[in-house]
Amino acid sequence: MDKLLEIKDLHKKYGKKEVLKGFDLTVDKGKIIGLLGPNASGKSTLIKIINGLLTKDSGKVLVDGEEIGPASKAMISYLPEKTYISDWMKVSDILGYFKDMYQDFDFNKAVSMLTDFGIDLDAKVKNLSKGTKEKVQLSLVMSRNAKIYILDEPIAGVDPAARELILNNIIKNYPVDSCLIIVTHLITDIENICDEVVFVKDGRVYLHDNSDDLREKHQKSIDQLFREVYSC
Amino acid sequence: MLGKLIKYEFKYLFKSYTPIYIAAFFFVLLSFYTINVGEQAFNNTGLMIVIAIFATLLFSATAYLSLHIQYKRYYDGVYGSEGYLLNTLPINSHQIILSKTISFYLINLVTFILAFISFIVLATTAALKYMDITHLLNDLTTFITTIIDSGYLLNISGILINTQLAVVLWVLFAQLIINLANNKLFVKNKLLYGMIFFLVFGIIILKLQIDIANYFYSNNIGYEVDKFYYTLHPLSDIIRNSAVWQIMAFDILVILLLYFINNYLIKNHLNLE
């Protein structure tokens, strides 16, 4: 099966406000997808439902044919926008935690990535800066041999100089038979690595196409097209 | 996987409890000093006031911190930023609840055992100050033999189990409050709803526990007792009464009910907005 992620007619409400209004999306293996949209367009809600952090109201979400649950979670490596690593641990403790919890976690790969980022394994998490914590999380997430990688704003909290290093690490470390979904506002930084882009507007897919085709068709960069669609 | 979850959870809790244990250790040292000095120390009003304040602060802080640490850990771990990791692990809702409940129970047990050992050591030290070791061992043997010969060993075991069940029940109840307060059932005023639920359901559970205890206790002794007679009754009478098993059945029933409600809420209504 080439479809790694299949979403059909997904609906979600917060109180009376409908955030997802029949969202449809299919993601094939081997693709890097840019999931783009302004604030409150429904991106985060969608990502949280895929990861089992929110329950859907209706619709279908299948991860490699599995409903959301322990089996689907074992296939997804998720980098949230928030810092989820515990302050009371050392970096080496977190590595141990991931090794214990995920069968597909590559310990050596994580150590290598952390070393590339210049992070001390004996450092206490509470003493790390926000940017360093994000690098630790990214190293952990990209060191799993998952089927789907979902990265929510992976470069938002770091300086422009570190962005290239992070993006290179992402590209270098994701297995070719998996798929990578990147949610970001920093379109210029990621548009060259995306195979496809998805524009989310008002809780629905507004546009889903191959990046090169879009650029050729509109004679614009993805960033310019984004600004046009959302009238920035 | 459950074992690993408990290991990390317990590690965190033990680390958080360390300051309490250190404070308790100093209290034990101070008590040792007082016992060894003997009457001279007991006549020292200043020292006695220090010990009294220390003991009050220690017990209040332990009670408050225990609640705070456990509630905060559950909230942060399931609904706070760490929930983004816990809820995306390849585990089910049962494993989440069991790991939290078992580790919370274990830390309570460890704290109780440490407190109990400290008490025994201090009591023995104090006893040895005024009697020799042979006399003390004879008294202890007589005490244990009396309990065994009383025929109520089973009831005593039942009471001990009930105290442990009560810990589990209130851990699960606290989890229920946090689950309800953070559930999508309530979009606004989560804290307020949480407090209301805590008060309402807390009172209901307590009332039921007392009523049921009173009901079985009255039936077993064959005459009516006051509403709070059971809770105020001498321990020796409670030990002789087999109501302990009915109370245990009620506690187990409430534990199961709380467990399944918690599981339903986490499984079907998890809401990390």
Side-chain angles (χ1 to χ4, degrees):
Chain A
M1 195 198 306
D2 276 346
K3 284 179 194 170
L4 278 183
L5 180 64
E6 201 179 350
I7 300 167
K8 273 189 186 167
D9 198 26
L10 184 62
H11 288 263
K12 175 72 185 174
K13 272 184 188 175
Y14 292 128
K16 286 178 183 171
K17 191 184 175 197
E18 194 169 21
V19 183
L20 294 176
K21 304 167 183 172
F23 198 97
D24 295 295
L25 180 68
T26 301
V27 179
D28 295 331
K29 63 170 67 162
K31 300 282 183 191
I32 300 180
I33 313 287
L35 189 67
L36 314 173
N39 292 333
S41 57
K43 301 187 305 290
S44 294
T45 302
L46 172 73
I47 296 302
K48 283 178 184 174
I49 290 174
I50 297 170
N51 283 289
L53 296 170
L54 272 177
T55 42
K56 60 184 165 60
D57 292 340
S58 63
K60 193 167 80 169
V61 180
L62 295 176
V63 176
D64 202 20
E66 296 279 351
E67 294 268 2
I68 301 302
S72 74
K73 289 175 185 179
M75 290 187 266
I76 300 176
S77 193
Y78 170 52
L79 177 77
E81 205 178 351
K82 289 196 175 194
T83 304
Y84 62 31
I85 50 178
S86 312
D87 269 352
W88 61 278
M89 286 180 162
K90 285 181 180 177
V91 174
S92 54
D93 293 331
I94 306 272
L95 284 176
Y97 185 88
F98 265 67
K99 194 181 168 194
D100 276 346
M101 298 300 167
Y102 294 106
Q103 287 184 338
D104 60 6
F105 184 67
D106 185 336
F107 188 86
N108 294 329
K109 193 172 172 181
V111 172
S112 162
M113 278 185 80
L114 289 165
T115 311
D116 283 351
F117 283 132
I119 296 167
D120 178 10
L121 298 187
D122 287 325
K124 283 186 177 173
V125 173
K126 68 177 174 189
N127 295 332
L128 302 177
S129 69
K130 189 173 180 285
T132 309
K133 282 181 188 171
E134 286 180 5
K135 285 174 188 166
V136 172
Q137 288 192 169
L138 182 75
S139 304
L140 295 166
V141 166
M142 295 312 297
S143 297
R144 284 184 55 201
N145 292 306
K147 288 193 174 176
I148 300 177
Y149 294 84
I150 300 177
L151 313 180
D152 196 353
E153 301 287 358
I155 51 173
V158 293
D159 57 89
R163 282 178 197 165
E164 200 178 326
L165 178 66
I166 289 174
L167 287 172
N168 284 338
N169 260 299
I170 292 172
I171 302 302
K172 196 170 80 182
N173 287 292
Y174 104 99
V176 285
D177 59 345
S178 62
C179 74
L180 177 63
I181 298 172
I182 304 179
V183 183
T184 185
H185 289 100
L186 302 165
I187 302 164
T188 319
D189 290 288
I190 61 124
E191 77 164 87
N192 289 327
I193 65 166
C194 289
D195 299 310
E196 294 175 9
V197 290
V198 177
F199 282 11
V200 183
K201 196 174 183 182
D202 297 329
R204 291 189 185 90
V205 172
Y206 177 80
L207 183 153
H208 179 188
D209 212 337
N210 182 290
S211 308
D212 292 335
D213 291 350
L214 271 177
R215 275 189 284 259
E216 199 178 308
K217 192 170 149 190
H218 295 275
Q219 290 298 303
K220 283 174 184 157
S221 69
I222 304 294
D223 186 43
Q224 286 170 323
L225 191 61
F226 181 88
R227 287 165 194 271
E228 194 178 288
V229 168
Y230 297 104
S231 307
C232 296
Chain B
M1 190 66 95
L2 180 63
K4 289 171 185 168
L5 286 169
I6 293 170
K7 179 182 90 176
Y8 282 100
E9 203 62 44
F10 187 77
K11 211 170 158 182
Y12 169 87
L13 289 170
F14 193 79
K15 217 168 176 159
S16 307
Y17 270 68
T18 306
I20 297 175
Y21 296 151
I22 292 171
F25 177 72
F26 280 110
F27 179 70
V28 170
L29 282 185
L30 188 64
S31 305
F32 256 126
Y33 168 76
T34 315
I35 291 164
N36 281 322
V37 171
E39 280 180 26
Q40 227 180 330
F42 292 111
N43 291 332
N44 184 338
T45 320
L47 182 66
M48 287 299 106
I49 291 173
V50 169
I51 291 176
I53 293 173
F54 198 157
T56 313
L57 284 177
L58 183 65
F59 287 121
S60 318
T62 306
Y64 171 74
L65 283 175
S66 297
L67 276 175
H68 178 78
I69 291 167
Q70 293 180 31
Y71 280 44
K72 187 175 181 308
R73 180 63 192 156
Y74 188 79
Y75 175 80
D76 287 349
V78 180
Y79 295 100
S81 55
E82 286 179 42
Y84 282 77
L85 180 56
L86 182 73
N87 292 301
T88 52
L89 291 174
I91 53 173
N92 57 38
S93 47
H94 291 288
Q95 286 167 310
I96 292 176
I97 298 169
L98 283 174
S99 66
K100 298 280 180 197
T101 309
I102 293 171
S103 50
F104 289 167
Y105 168 73
L106 285 178
I107 198 72
N108 281 312
L109 188 65
V110 167
T111 309
F112 173 77
I113 289 170
L114 287 177
F116 184 72
I117 291 170
S118 304
F119 173 75
I120 293 293
V121 170
L122 284 175
T124 311
T125 312
L128 285 174
K129 182 96 184 156
Y130 301 101
M131 63 175 83
D132 61 68
I133 186 85
T134 326
H135 194 169
L136 182 68
L137 284 175
N138 279 342
D139 279 0
L140 198 64
T141 315
T142 314
F143 176 69
I144 293 169
T145 318
T146 311
I147 289 177
I148 295 169
D149 291 345
S150 70
Y152 294 113
L153 201 58
L154 201 62
N155 277 8
I156 292 169
S157 312
I159 289 167
L160 286 176
I161 294 170
N162 277 355
T163 58
Q164 301 309 300
L165 287 175
V167 174
V168 177
L169 190 151
W170 287 98
V171 166
L172 282 167
F173 179 63
Q175 291 179 8
L176 174 71
I177 299 309
I178 299 170
N179 288 336
L180 285 170
N182 290 281
N183 202 271
K184 74 171 184 183
L185 289 171
F186 311 126
V187 178
K188 289 175 183 172
N189 301 323
K190 291 182 175 186
L191 185 65
L192 180 70
Y193 282 119
M195 284 169 68
I196 292 169
F197 263 82
F198 186 84
L199 284 173
V200 172
F201 283 98
I203 290 167
I204 291 172
I205 290 176
L206 261 178
K207 174 100 174 60
L208 279 172
Q209 273 184 317
I210 291 168
D211 283 355
I212 286 175
N214 274 326
Y215 173 76
F216 286 120
Y217 198 79
S218 305
N219 276 0
N220 289 347
I221 59 173
Y223 60 86
E224 281 297 314
V225 289
D226 292 339
K227 248 332 181 208
F228 290 94
Y229 187 71
Y230 168 76
T231 43
L232 299 173
H233 210 74
L235 189 64
S236 56
D237 278 3
I238 294 169
I239 289 170
R240 288 193 200 97
N241 198 289
S242 61
V244 63
W245 306 110
Q246 282 111 349
I247 294 161
M248 188 185 290
F250 171 74
D251 280 357
I252 291 172
L253 202 69
V254 176
I255 284 172
L256 288 174
L257 187 68
L258 290 170
Y259 177 85
F260 285 110
I261 295 173
N262 281 333
N263 185 61
Y264 170 79
L265 290 171
I266 290 185
K267 189 180 176 188
N268 300 306
H269 297 285
L270 187 70
N271 188 22
L272 268 76
E273 279 182 34

